[in-house]
Amino acid sequence: MAHRLYDISDLQPFIQRGCLLLTPNARLARRVKMEWDRSHSEAGAKVWEPLPVYPMERWLLQQWHAAVRGGELPPVLPLSKVQELQLWQQIILEQADDDAGLINPAGAAELASEARELLLRWEISLDAQGAGRALRSLFALEGDCQRFLCWQDDFERKLQQRGLCTTADCLRTLCHATTRAAKPDLVLLEVGELAPLLETCLQSQGSSVERFETGRADGDVCVHPFTDGRAEIKGVAAWAAAQQQKSPDESVAIVFNGTAGDRAALEYELRREFDCLGEHYASLPVNFSAGMPLSEVPVIRTALTLLELVEMPVPVAEVVRLFNSQFVALSDAESAAAQIFLRRLFEGGSERVDAGALRSFASNANSDKRLRFGDCLLAVSGLRQTREKMLPSSWIPLFNSVLDIWGWPGEAGLDSLEFQQVQRWYDTLDEFGALDLVCDPLSFQAALQLLRGACARKVSHPETADSAVQVLGPLEAAGLSFDQLWMIGMQRSAWPAAPRPNPLIPLSLQAQRGMPHATPEREWQYAHSLLEQFALGSAVLHASYSTQVDGVSEGVSALLEGIPQSTPVEVCAVPPDW
């Protein structure tokens, strides 16, 4: 049975007026659209008009593309995030000769990209000839901020010379587009605070802009302490399984904002509680919309390891993983020769091993017949192109050739989730090829590092059917309605989070303009707003926290102080077999 996570009955007045509905994220837009389609299907309709509901920024970018096609804006080429970061990194490296303290160009590129986007979205100009002159003097007072000014000036020049732009540039120019087409009435669904640039864009693209939030009553709030993070994850998984068994028609959400390791632990515990670790692995009644980095999912992690084997040392543990992987065609992976090979590998005593040593181990594992693993290593070593420097798009055929030699993604069929992840891999390769626009020829090692970074930034969100239990990130859950919602990790040190101001923008400017993550007050306001949304969107809101983190005593978040803490046996009875 599908679970209703949004009540569209209150939207009828806007729908009848022909308003265009905008949501803060794609998930909520999809949910509202599904409820619209279901209401017509249940009413016996055969055909109906699609509901005009879109993620807000995606719709604004569609308006920008339409304005460019209509000649209302000059034609420029938008950069993908990967292209933008590569251009920043090139600029930073070009200026690094005089910058002895720079040790992480990729990290600096991330910060510079974020800083420029913040400035654009908060409509702050650093134009040396205009209104930005006074602000530039403020940046000049701090070394990192002064350095960012030099990077930014070079970045702006390169964009202009090459006819390029970023997503934030698209939104900025959209505000000045002139169009004769009729503008729609815009209704913002469950949209919280907006950056000034988005406010300006919406006002320019709509004849009117209204905000709408579902009128809901506060639900009950329960706080549950656990001894540590492992006990908390186990307890939440046990509660979700018990809740689903007791009330299968209720919708349950677990709001999770932890690390990739914690996410894997939560998935394992949910599979254990729902008995989906063995032959029922594919029948887990849980929808994970909180995705993982593409580089961390098993089938893609295997591909990246195989490519590293071409000329880079890899951890011995990763070699063992390859012998156990279903995504590599090693027909003799369980043979006696393979066991001899792995034993000699560990006897070497090294944490990492290169391809030459692996070829030697594989060829000596059995005097009669070389391991398939050794044959693949030998075939890969004969690919001469690996010693050249080429543009990113020229490396793609070689990457594919290496993976073909290893038989990736395996001889067994892929399940639905793995198939989606492999498709995301090929999409990422296409984006990698588009880096020719901003890249010079690269060595194999530099190209592979760039590809790994692109995979790490791309999140794998599985497309699965609706389930009674949903695992979501905090922003994904905002605006949706659930019977039961459980927030994990509500200890004092984690919620609200500590401020994380961008080090390339003066802190005084970030605090004055109310930029995200700049001050404790800003983080408190953000966390309080989300908590209010969750309380309004659920009949019962559960919040749990660890009383100890890394051996240090913890308390519940200050936002939850004063709420009685309940510890029901069925929630906190955690078996000691982690």
Side-chain angles (χ1 to χ4, degrees):
M1 173 183 174
H3 298 266
R4 298 187 184 277
L5 302 184
Y6 196 88
D7 183 3
I8 64 168
S9 58
D10 292 335
L11 299 179
Q12 290 303 325
F14 303 114
I15 296 170
Q16 290 167 6
R17 278 170 44 198
C19 296
L20 190 142
L21 311 177
L22 299 178
T23 65
N25 54 54
R27 183 175 183 81
L28 183 55
R30 221 168 27 243
R31 172 55 56 184
V32 173
K33 207 172 274 188
M34 286 173 63
E35 295 298 340
W36 169 259
D37 293 340
R38 180 161 59 183
S39 66
H40 283 78
S41 177
E42 290 176 352
K46 300 298 182 184
V47 293
W48 54 87
E49 289 287 336
L51 186 66
V53 54
Y54 307 96
M56 179 175 52
E57 287 206 31
R58 186 183 300 174
W59 180 78
L60 287 172
L61 289 174
Q62 288 173 355
Q63 298 303 102
W64 179 83
H65 282 287
V68 171
R69 287 194 302 270
E72 299 151 19
L73 290 174
V76 288
L77 182 63
L79 293 172
S80 69
K81 193 63 179 179
V82 175
Q83 290 172 319
E84 181 189 346
L85 290 173
Q86 183 62 20
L87 184 56
W88 275 112
Q89 190 166 334
Q90 281 185 1
I91 290 167
I92 289 167
L93 289 172
E94 286 168 3
Q95 298 187 20
D97 294 339
D98 303 322
D99 202 355
L102 186 65
I103 59 174
N104 184 4
E110 294 268 7
L111 288 173
S113 171
E114 177 193 278
R116 182 177 182 272
E117 182 160 346
L118 279 171
L119 293 169
L120 288 176
R121 286 178 179 266
W122 263 257
E123 299 183 322
I124 298 171
S125 170
L126 294 180
D127 184 1
Q129 308 302 322
R133 182 180 297 179
L135 281 179
R136 290 177 74 90
S137 63
L138 180 62
F139 277 70
L141 295 175
E142 301 181 33
D144 287 342
C145 300
Q146 173 65 44
R147 189 177 293 113
F148 168 69
L149 275 184
C150 299
W151 296 342
Q152 156 133 324
D153 290 344
D154 202 0
F155 187 81
E156 299 288 355
R157 276 194 299 272
K158 289 186 185 297
L159 288 184
Q160 190 170 7
Q161 290 167 0
R162 303 181 188 185
L164 305 173
C165 69
T166 67
T167 298
D169 290 315
C170 296
L171 298 175
R172 180 179 57 175
T173 57
L174 179 63
C175 299
H176 308 295
T178 56
T179 178
R180 297 179 183 176
K183 296 179 180 179
D185 293 322
L186 302 179
V187 177
L188 310 184
L189 304 183
E190 316 294 342
V191 173
E193 183 184 359
L194 289 175
L197 178 60
L198 288 175
E199 292 273 14
T200 305
C201 274
L202 292 168
Q203 294 294 337
S204 72
Q205 297 303 303
S207 61
S208 67
V209 181
E210 278 182 77
R211 287 176 175 266
F212 174 80
E213 293 183 1
T214 306
R216 296 169 291 202
D218 279 330
D220 296 328
V221 181
C222 306
V223 176
H224 309 284
F226 289 87
T227 54
D228 56 32
R230 293 178 298 179
E232 184 178 9
I233 286 174
K234 275 180 168 287
V236 172
W239 167 83
Q243 193 67 31
Q244 206 272 335
Q245 185 175 10
K246 181 175 69 175
S247 305
D249 291 337
E250 283 194 350
S251 56
V252 172
I254 300 173
V255 177
F256 177 75
N257 196 28
T259 64
D262 289 338
R263 182 202 180 281
L266 176 60
E267 180 175 351
Y268 173 81
E269 288 303 327
L270 285 167
R271 288 190 178 281
R272 196 170 73 91
E273 292 294 339
F274 282 98
D275 192 23
C276 293
L277 281 173
E279 57 185 282
H280 306 299
Y281 189 87
S283 60
L284 181 68
V286 179
N287 187 345
F288 278 84
S289 64
M292 291 178 66
L294 190 63
S295 58
E296 294 300 319
V297 302
V299 63
I300 307 306
R301 180 174 173 174
T302 299
L304 292 170
T305 300
L306 294 173
L307 292 174
E308 284 184 348
L309 276 174
V310 172
E311 61 173 39
M312 285 176 264
V314 298
V316 170
E318 288 297 320
V319 178
V320 177
R321 191 189 302 271
L322 292 179
F323 273 78
N324 294 322
S325 174
Q326 62 176 328
F327 308 117
V328 187
L330 298 178
S331 55
D332 53 2
E334 297 181 3
S335 65
Q339 302 309 310
I340 295 171
F341 165 77
L342 293 174
R343 186 172 66 248
R344 287 180 177 172
L345 195 60
F346 280 103
E347 287 171 352
S350 299
E351 184 181 350
R352 304 178 75 86
V353 61
D354 61 28
L358 285 172
R359 283 196 300 273
S360 174
F361 283 131
S363 61
N364 295 326
N366 188 322
S367 58
D368 298 327
K369 182 181 178 184
R370 187 167 51 217
L371 282 172
R372 160 91 175 133
F373 189 84
D375 290 336
C376 292
L377 288 173
L378 193 61
V380 167
S381 68
L383 298 173
R384 299 293 177 186
Q385 303 97 309
T386 59
R387 298 165 179 80
E388 301 175 7
K389 284 193 173 184
M390 299 188 290
L391 289 171
S393 62
S394 300
W395 282 114
I396 295 176
L398 184 69
F399 291 159
N400 288 331
S401 296
V402 171
L403 295 178
D404 286 343
I405 288 171
W406 288 99
W408 183 88
E411 296 170 339
L414 301 174
D415 64 25
S416 173
L417 179 56
E418 292 159 355
F419 179 81
Q420 293 174 43
Q421 291 164 349
V422 170
Q423 290 302 114
R424 294 281 281 173
W425 164 262
Y426 288 121
D427 292 342
T428 306
L429 282 181
D430 289 341
E431 293 178 12
F432 176 79
L435 288 171
D436 288 3
L437 187 65
V438 293
C439 265
D440 296 324
L442 302 166
S443 67
F444 178 86
Q445 189 167 348
L448 181 53
Q449 184 179 4
L450 193 57
L451 177 61
R452 178 179 281 280
C455 290
R457 279 187 292 273
K458 191 176 288 291
V459 178
S460 173
H461 286 290
E463 297 177 11
T464 54
D466 253 351
S467 303
V469 180
Q470 309 259 339
V471 179
L472 311 102
L475 293 178
E476 294 171 308
L480 297 178
S481 299
F482 299 94
D483 295 307
Q484 307 264 352
L485 185 146
W486 190 301
M487 298 183 69
I488 297 178
M490 294 296 287
Q491 49 265 18
R492 183 182 296 273
S493 63
W495 193 276
R500 293 179 291 103
N502 188 294
L504 305 182
I505 303 175
L507 181 57
S508 59
L509 179 61
Q510 296 183 64
Q512 178 192 356
R513 299 297 182 94
M515 291 185 181
H517 314 302
T519 63
E521 294 79 11
R522 188 71 168 78
E523 289 299 297
W524 177 279
Q525 177 188 357
Y526 168 77
H528 182 265
S529 173
L530 269 183
L531 193 60
E532 273 193 332
Q533 275 194 302
F534 295 150
L536 289 170
S538 55
V540 181
L541 172 64
H542 301 268
S544 60
Y545 71 99
S546 303
T547 57
Q548 281 200 355
V549 177
D550 296 329
V552 178
S553 295
E554 274 277 16
V556 70
S557 166
L559 288 165
L560 293 168
E561 283 182 346
I563 298 174
Q565 298 188 21
S566 85
T567 54
V569 174
E570 63 269 19
V571 172
C572 296
V574 180
D577 60 347
W578 176 268

